[in-house]
Amino acid sequence: MLLNKGGGNTSSFTFSVRLRFMKTDLIRFISHLDFTRSILRAMARADVPFIYSQGYSPRPKISFGPPLTLGWESETEMMEIELAGKNDWKDLSQRINENLPKGLLLSEVVFVSKKGLLNKEIKYIAYSLGLPKDFDLKLIEEKLNTKFAGKGIEMLKDESRSGNDLTKSYFILKVEVSVKMKDVINEISESSGRFYIFVKRLAFYNKDGNRI
């Protein structure tokens, strides 16, 4: 991994930001570990001013959101990072994107006042699902409500996408972060004749239902 420590940052001005990445195309088939390595490599090449931990083996002070299942796309892969100095984030974002592999894109930078709370704030995750046109939505909803009772699973048809696809209907599925999404997909797959299910992560939400 290319991380230029350069003796560490000595700036007295430090801050935390959350970065939102999109993960599409063939890059969805890389592991979460390779995903994090790709991002850190791009940030190092862009001269992002990391703040490092203390000790024998200093590392950038970063945290990532929940890992994404191999093969799924995402509009909202998030990381939180502590940085030093005052920076032009428009310029930094451009340099980071220039060093990311095809299929990865830094889409948003948000400054945060309290650091280290990303994973503690995430309560729900929303996904887009592409299912066969003729599948039985009512049957699947009944099975999900039975197996995952009390887990706050919601499933709504995405009319904006479904009308443009002749083979699939698209739905937005919102689940609690504690629910294993692979178990949900397996249940839907069994109920719909084990067809391939397109999955894309759309957003994270806090306990009040606000998008993170």
Side-chain angles (χ1 to χ4, degrees), residues 4-169:
N4 180 18
K5 298 182 177 62
N9 282 293
T10 58
S11 172
S12 60
F13 182 81
T14 64
F15 60 99
S16 296
V17 295
R18 288 179 182 172
L19 309 181
R20 191 184 310 276
F21 293 87
M22 298 179 68
K23 185 179 181 184
T24 60
D25 296 329
L26 295 179
I27 206 74
R28 71 185 189 274
F29 293 109
I30 67 170
S31 68
H32 182 70
L33 180 59
D34 287 334
F35 164 72
T36 61
R37 285 172 173 167
S38 296
I39 290 175
L40 290 178
R41 186 180 298 115
M43 295 180 77
R45 288 172 174 166
D47 295 323
V48 172
F50 297 109
I51 294 291
Y52 287 85
S53 61
Q54 302 297 312
Y56 179 74
S57 181
R59 296 178 180 275
K61 291 187 176 182
I62 59 173
S63 61
F64 284 86
L68 186 70
T69 297
L70 196 71
W72 294 359
E73 293 189 356
S74 178
E75 293 182 0
T76 186
E77 293 305 284
M78 295 190 71
M79 69 178 293
E80 189 172 288
I81 183 168
E82 291 184 51
L83 301 173
K86 298 181 180 180
N87 300 277
D88 180 353
W89 263 102
K90 183 177 181 180
D91 178 61
L92 272 178
S93 297
Q94 181 177 343
R95 296 207 309 269
I96 291 171
N97 278 326
E98 288 173 352
N99 286 285
L100 286 172
K102 182 181 179 181
L104 278 182
L105 177 71
L106 172 58
S107 59
E108 185 180 21
V109 178
V110 178
F111 291 84
V112 291
S113 57
K114 294 182 179 180
K115 59 188 177 182
L117 298 178
L118 175 59
N119 284 294
K120 292 180 181 179
E121 287 185 22
I122 297 173
K123 178 66 174 178
Y124 302 98
I125 308 177
Y127 297 86
S128 174
L129 307 182
L131 296 164
K133 280 283 189 184
D134 58 352
F135 90 106
D136 191 334
L137 174 60
K138 186 175 181 179
L139 173 63
I140 290 178
E141 286 181 326
E142 290 175 354
K143 288 195 172 186
L144 291 180
N145 289 331
T146 298
K147 186 165 184 176
F148 302 99
K151 295 297 183 179
I153 291 182
E154 299 177 18
M155 192 168 180
L156 302 171
K157 190 165 185 178
D158 187 350
E159 299 289 354
S160 63
R161 294 198 64 189
S162 297
N164 298 323
D165 195 316
L166 298 178
T167 61
K168 291 186 180 68
S169 291

Side-chain angles (χ1 to χ4, degrees), residues 177-207:
V177 69
S178 61
V179 175
K180 292 183 178 180
M181 188 60 183
K182 288 186 71 174
D183 292 341
V184 177
I185 294 300
N186 287 338
E187 188 70 25
I188 294 175
S189 180
E190 291 177 1
S191 302
S192 60
R194 294 190 175 277
F195 287 96
Y196 170 76
I197 299 176
F198 168 85
V199 183
K200 176 186 283 188
R201 180 184 279 171
L202 297 178
F204 296 121
Y205 295 89
N206 62 21
K207 64 180 181 179

